[in-house]
Amino acid sequence: MSEVSPGPTPGFLVWRLANKWRVAVDRAVAPLGLTHAQYSLVASLYGMRRTGERPSQRRLADHTGLEALYVSKLARALEAAGLVERTRDPRDPRAVQLALTEQGRTVTRQAIAVVQELLRQLLEPLGGPDAPRTRAFTEELTALLDVPLAPSPSTNDQSTRRETP
């Protein structure tokens, strides 16, 4: 048997921090008609557009770490709100490309400013956004995010199946 950790585990702390920051961003962008997840999409689209990219829903899902089906649902809601346009990719008729509308770019610029101010507040205990501790924290989080998840055992995998006598 393994010993129980005397304090919270790193996983628990990351989960708590992620939830705390998600709630803070939700509250900050709500006056602009956005949720945190929607903000993640429009801010990503804004940044990708600046580099000349018009991503597919799949590419945006990969970029944000969100499930493709969830990105599709969010994109439809943002389209209904007039912030995003969805068009068929001329190179792949199965793919849908996403782009911000003019209204979407305006709202996104406002949301980015709001979230940057919020991040300044949230990162103040580490010395602020440009502090060495913040850079080190970012590097550590990036290292953890770069570790691929192990594939989950398949129900058809012989090594995990138990035979009944």
Side-chain angles (χ1 to χ4, degrees), residues 12-73:
F12 179 74
L13 293 173
V14 168
W15 177 74
R16 289 276 318 272
L17 183 61
N19 281 319
K20 178 180 180 177
W21 285 27
R22 182 192 51 77
V23 168
V25 174
D26 268 336
R27 289 177 182 160
V29 298
L32 297 169
L34 296 172
T35 65
H36 183 259
Q38 290 172 330
Y39 169 75
S40 296
L41 254 63
V42 296
S44 293
L45 280 173
Y46 188 81
M48 294 168 122
R49 176 184 172 270
R50 294 179 73 197
T51 63
E53 189 175 352
R54 184 179 176 139
S56 67
Q57 288 182 169
R58 164 56 64 193
R59 168 77 179 98
L60 191 58
D62 292 343
H63 178 79
T64 59
L66 297 171
E67 293 292 327
L69 191 59
Y70 189 44
V71 168
S72 176
K73 178 182 174 183

Side-chain angles (χ1 to χ4, degrees), residues 78-144:
L78 290 164
E79 181 181 42
L83 303 178
V84 167
E85 62 182 15
R86 300 167 66 236
T87 57
R88 290 282 171 204
D89 185 335
R91 297 163 297 179
D92 181 357
R94 297 168 297 164
V96 175
Q97 289 182 320
L98 301 173
L100 292 170
T101 62
E102 185 58 43
Q103 178 187 1
R105 286 189 293 278
T106 300
V107 168
T108 301
R109 280 191 295 272
Q110 294 170 340
I112 288 170
V114 166
V115 171
Q116 285 178 339
E117 176 56 35
L118 175 63
L119 284 176
R120 276 191 279 286
Q121 294 170 20
L122 293 172
L123 293 170
E124 189 56 40
L126 299 180
D130 299 321
R133 285 181 66 198
T134 300
R135 284 193 297 276
F137 179 61
T138 301
E139 288 171 10
E140 297 292 342
L141 290 172
T142 301
L144 293 173

